[in-house]
Amino acid sequence: MEADDFTLMEQVRRGSPGAFETLVERYQRRLYRLACGYLHNHEDALDAVQEAFVKIYLARQSYRPSAHPFTWASRILANRCIDQIRHRRVRPEQSLDEAQETRQGRGPLPLPSSEESAQTRQERRELRSVLQGAIDTLPPRQREIFMLRHFGEMRLEEIATALGCALGTVKSSLHRAAAAIRDHLARTDPALRSPKGESS
């Protein structure tokens, strides 16, 4: 039977053979998506995840089971991404769609259907770019909570624990973030406005 995350992390702390490799395999896709949410660039996201795993390994003895292992790992990655944003070199950003299509590592993510027209793919990329722009306008804490939820796929309780805030704060921040994104999309293009509120 596959070890749960807490058991696996304890094995990593003890240096059990193959435990860290299993942790990498289990978390790399989710951490990659989270890094893309911060950096919007395939190569930068890969670099950030790789460096985060190095930090995770080096800091494994400092992990305490009061936090979920993925929560702990995502905070290490988030700090690395924020540092990378501060010091990143100037280069064109790559959309998340392009990042997904060119991702290396544990198998490619789904590619657009061959029946999908070039125009449809371009429209999808443009929409994703607009969404990225909307996320970038959020205040730092709202943006972090939004990305941990939607890119890191963390539960609300995990986010509250990771950030040391109340569950109600996470819920209200997600609600405000979704409203701000909808308003931004409506200002950018009224046709993009969602008729229904985004659920968290």
Side-chain angles (χ1 to χ4, degrees):
M1 184 174 66
E2 187 178 69
D4 64 31
D5 286 13
F6 285 97
T7 301
L8 177 60
M9 191 62 208
E10 181 58 30
Q11 293 171 350
V12 171
R13 290 182 64 191
R14 295 199 309 261
S16 300
F20 183 70
E21 289 77 7
T22 300
L23 186 77
V24 170
E25 183 178 353
R26 186 172 297 183
Y27 286 168
Q28 62 182 350
R29 288 173 68 87
R30 291 171 66 189
L31 290 177
Y32 170 78
R33 286 195 294 270
L34 182 59
C36 280
Y38 277 99
L39 302 171
H40 310 321
N41 182 281
H42 169 66
E43 295 297 335
D44 285 351
L46 287 179
D47 289 344
V49 172
Q50 183 177 18
E51 292 174 19
F53 274 125
V54 172
K55 289 180 179 292
I56 288 167
Y57 182 78
L58 294 176
R60 65 192 185 281
Q61 296 298 334
S62 67
Y63 167 76
R64 295 295 178 266
S66 57
H68 190 282
F70 182 78
T71 301
W72 180 71
S74 69
R75 291 298 297 157
I76 291 176
L77 175 65
N79 290 336
R80 177 65 196 122
C81 288
I82 292 168
D83 185 64
Q84 194 162 325
I85 289 169
R86 290 175 181 150
H87 300 93
R88 74 192 306 174
R89 56 190 177 278
V90 178
R91 74 192 213 184
E93 288 187 346
Q94 180 182 31
S95 74
L96 291 182
D97 258 0
E98 291 169 334
Q100 289 178 340
E101 293 174 13
T102 59
R103 181 183 176 273
Q104 300 172 359
R106 190 185 168 192
L109 297 180
L111 295 175
S113 167
S114 59
E115 298 178 357
E116 186 178 55
S117 69
Q119 180 180 356
T120 299
R121 287 197 296 271
Q122 179 61 27
E123 289 173 351
R124 185 156 52 84
R125 289 193 179 98
E126 290 175 356
L127 175 58
R128 184 63 65 90
S129 177
V130 171
L131 288 172
Q132 288 178 347
I135 293 171
D136 289 342
T137 66
L138 297 174
R141 177 48 67 94
Q142 282 185 27
R143 182 170 183 259
E144 182 174 29
I145 290 175
F146 184 88
M147 290 196 300
L148 288 174
R149 173 62 174 160
H150 295 286
F151 291 99
E153 300 177 2
M154 291 172 63
R155 293 186 318 232
L156 302 185
E157 295 82 1
E158 292 175 341
I159 296 172
T161 299
L163 301 182
C165 60
L167 180 60
T169 300
V170 173
K171 291 180 178 179
S172 62
S173 293
L174 281 173
H175 179 77
R176 288 194 297 270
I181 289 173
R182 285 196 300 272
D183 288 345
H184 180 89
L185 295 180
R187 290 194 301 272
T188 303
D189 184 350
L192 296 176
R193 185 165 190 172
S194 172
K196 296 182 180 180
E198 181 179 342
S199 62
S200 60

